[in-house]
Structure formats: C-alpha cells, structure tokens
Amino acid sequence: MRKIIALLGLGLLFNHFEANCQQVNVIKWPEVQEVLTTSSDTTYVLNFWATWCKPCISELPFFEEVHKKYKNKNVKVVLISMDFVKDLNTRVIPFVNQRNLSTKVWLLNEPDANEWIDKIDSTWSGAIPATLIINNSKKKKVFFEQKLDYDRLVKELSDFL
C-alpha cells in the first residue's frame, strides 16, 4: 500500500512539474515567414538568441517584461532559439524552465542559416543577439543586431503602437 501511495505522489508531482513547463516548439522557416508576411495588425518582436550566448541571456528578462507589459496591446514577443535541435531536451527546455520564461519560445530547425538570414533583414550578418520588430499592416520594421535593454525595447515599440 505504501508503494502505491508513493507512486501516486510521484505521479502527481510529475504532472505538476509537466503542467508548469514552458513548451518549446521546434519550427521550420515557414512559421517565421508567416509572421513576416501576415497582414494582421499585430506587432511582432522576434528575438534570435541561444543558450550559449551571454549577451542573449542577459537581455532575456527585458523581453519577458515587454511580453508581460504589452500582451493585451496586440504585441507578440517570440524568442527564437538558435540552439541545435539535438539540444532541445537537454539544454533548451531546461534553460527555459529554469528561468520561468512565459514568453513564447521557438527553436528554429533550419541548419543552413544562409538560406533565411537575409529574409529576416538584409543587413544581418547572422550574429546574435538579434531582434526584429515588425508590423506589416503599418508597414513598419526595425532590426537590431545587438543586445537591447528594456528602455530601448519600450522606446522602439512605442513607434509601433
């Protein structure tokens, strides 16, 4: 009987842990392209980052704050991981859960960056962190190949709202 109770307790604990885990979706280029070409009035903030990039990690809290501040204002923040897909379960998901990220996280599974980097922005060398803020219905787009802080993000977003 004790074994059954212990197993039930572990099951409940596991289910609680699973329920609080952030989902990281592995995507291909068409999902990103859909954001770049949508005609909706949503402003998208796409941040390209990786778990091994120190400047990327240091700016993640600012994107979290922006996500929370603007979630009811037609702004969607998406953190697009540039980590390898093979590291999804061992590195990316634990990283995201450790930091309690509530922002949507995608892992872009497109190994040949030369095929899509210019489609994000023609000035992008491929270095990260990089951020694209875009609203197609307003025909506005701004790109940064640098680390951003909270005040700069808010300032740039104010031009879209």
Side-chain angles (χ1 to χ4, degrees):
M1 184 70 164
R2 284 186 186 173
K3 287 182 182 179
I4 292 172
I5 292 171
L7 287 173
L8 285 173
L10 283 175
L12 290 173
L13 181 63
F14 181 74
N15 285 338
H16 174 74
F17 176 75
E18 285 288 308
N20 291 325
C21 287
Q22 162 71 290
Q23 184 174 350
V24 177
N25 293 321
V26 177
I27 63 157
K28 298 297 269 178
W29 173 251
E31 284 88 348
V32 178
Q33 189 170 13
E34 186 176 316
V35 170
L36 298 178
T37 59
T38 185
S39 60
S40 78
D41 190 33
T42 300
T43 298
Y44 289 91
V45 179
L46 305 178
N47 176 252
F48 296 86
W49 67 285
T51 59
W52 44 262
C53 168
K54 282 189 178 191
C56 300
I57 293 167
S58 67
E59 73 177 359
L60 285 177
F62 307 133
F63 288 96
E64 272 290 293
E65 287 181 54
V66 165
H67 163 70
K68 290 173 184 170
K69 179 176 181 168
Y70 293 98
K71 69 180 173 184
N72 297 322
K73 296 190 178 185
N74 220 15
V75 173
K76 291 188 180 175
V77 179
V78 183
L79 304 174
I80 303 177
S81 171
M82 308 303 334
D83 287 275
F84 294 114
V85 173
K86 69 177 181 62
D87 295 329
L88 175 68
N89 293 318
T90 59
R91 190 173 184 134
V92 180
I93 291 174
F95 178 94
V96 167
N97 288 327
Q98 244 178 4
R99 285 159 178 79
N100 294 316
L101 298 180
S102 61
T103 307
K104 181 182 293 248
V105 180
W106 291 347
L107 190 149
L108 183 58
N109 183 16
E110 291 291 352
D112 187 2
N114 292 324
E115 291 291 318
W116 55 268
I117 282 180
D118 285 345
K119 294 174 184 173
I120 299 294
D121 192 89
S122 62
T123 65
W124 190 14
S125 73
I128 55 175
T131 302
L132 173 69
I133 303 173
I134 186 169
N135 184 310
N136 289 316
S137 72
K138 294 179 181 178
K139 297 184 183 347
K140 296 186 85 162
K141 172 182 169 180
V142 63
F143 178 78
F144 303 94
E145 187 175 21
Q146 66 190 56
K147 178 182 163 188
L148 297 174
D149 62 24
Y150 179 77
D151 291 335
R152 180 74 185 270
L153 278 168
V154 169
K155 178 189 175 299
E156 296 298 335
L157 266 173
S158 68
D159 292 340
F160 285 80
L161 303 175

